[in-house]
Amino acid sequence: MKRADRKFMEDGIRTLHTFNSTPELKGNTRYIFTDADMQARDYLKSLIKEAGLELYEDGIGNIFAVLRGEDSKLPPVWTGSHFDTVINGGMYDGVVGSLGAIEALKVIKDSGERHLRDIAAVLFTSEESGRFGIGCLGSHFITGEEGFVSIEDTKRIKDDSGVTLYEAMTERGYGKDFEKIRKKKGDIFAFIELHIEQGPVLESMGIPIGIVTGITAPTYISVTIKGEQRHAGSTPMNARKDSMCAFAEIVLELESYAKSLGHPNFCATVGKVNVSPNASNVIAGEVRFTIDLRGIKSKPKDKMAEDIIRFFAYLKEKRGVKIEYHIDANDKPMFSNENLVELIEGVCEDKKLPYHKMNSGAYHDSLMMAKLCPMAMIFVPSKDGISHDPDEYTSMDEIMEGMDVLCESVLRIANRTEPLN
Ligand code: HGY
Ligand code: MN
Ligand code: MN
């Protein structure tokens, strides 16, 4: 089978980077259903059409390219990733696996390789939580678990300016045949995603390929602390209900709690905060913020959430503030299918590419897909472990090695008849 087209990948990464809502920043911002996102969609759809692949989009904007196999009645193989970004993010997160999926179908098609099963490249909409505060929106609705089933559910999901997902998607012409988005177990044979590692492990080991065995899952909690807005000079220190100080205690409590677990796949982050009225000489009356918890095991992750909610109760007593919270998402960690891991190991051995089996600290659409079908991920290194930052970087040589493994793995899976258990 011929190698992936390096120029296609390089041009694609560069071109997608131009579809950016924050050109004034060093990094890239591409939130769901913004102009930058719609330009990226048009570009990706043009690549799919040029490749002569079947093209369709579902009701929430997941984009599909299909390469027919010899028996379209068999459950297909899906490969793909996302094409949205965090605010001021990098050029590679999601993009490598999205372009890589299109290119993998082209390589298999142009090489004239026999394959039993249909193969679909899936470009998921809104994997990042940037706009609506919940990650993996497109793949959540494909798996269709509670809260992500009907079009009604899109009316409860709002962005910071109060625009609902329903309004944002219907304004762009989506929302049709919404019930067709959902897939059930058995509909898809396997899902495989190529992605940058977003951490330092592969680079520190000098190994070009990661094979993911487990994916940490997020719990998202949005919190509002209500104190008393007062004068910063005439209010004595012992007469305050300062929501900013309560916020500070929560942030430090989260940090020390997660550190005490002493495991790289258990993390707690407060990355987004709004203070009101946000004035230097006014005691903050209200602080709104999000908590992002991660865990590779559900029990300790759920206990972290319970314990921090217990801490809120303690602070209400201690500081006389009100604390309201809502658990916006509480996903379960998922593990790769062992047969798929073995298959990818075999590809790496055949191609004499050293590999390392590892967990993913980041979540991915693969986390959702694993609820529907056997899943596995292929990682390529991230320079200095940097991601969700303009300095995110993976070399084209490393991306091409990842493509070698992806293309051969997808082809072998598409010709597999034994079940993946
Ligand atoms: O936040 C994550 O783990 C992913 O990059 N969206
Ligand atoms: Mn990301
Ligand atoms: Mn990603």
Side-chain angles (χ1 to χ4, degrees), residues 81-82 84 92-95 127-128 193 195-196 198 362-365 387-388:
S81 194
H82 61 99
D84 62 320
Y92 301 87
D93 175 3
V95 164
E127 186 268 358
E128 301 291 359
E193 179 171 7
H195 204 285
I196 56 171
Q198 299 182 290
Y363 63 75
H364 306 279
D365 292 302
S387 183
H388 283 188

Side-chain angles (χ1 to χ4, degrees), residues 56-69:
Y56 70 93
E57 285 184 279
D58 68 13
I60 198 162
N62 295 307
I63 301 171
F64 295 80
V66 180
L67 178 64
R68 291 287 166 205

Side-chain angles (χ1 to χ4, degrees), residues 339-381:
N339 294 151
L340 283 180
V341 169
E342 275 157 33
L343 182 146
I344 299 169
E345 283 184 274
V347 171
C348 292
E349 279 146 20
D350 293 350
K351 292 186 177 293
K352 304 208 180 352
L353 281 170
Y355 64 87
H356 172 63
K357 293 200 276 188
M358 60 193 289
N359 285 334
S360 171
Y363 63 75
H364 306 279
D365 292 302
S366 291
L367 182 73
M368 300 297 129
M369 293 305 296
K371 297 174 192 165
L372 276 183
C373 65
M375 168 283 291
M377 290 188 78
I378 300 160
F379 271 176
V380 287

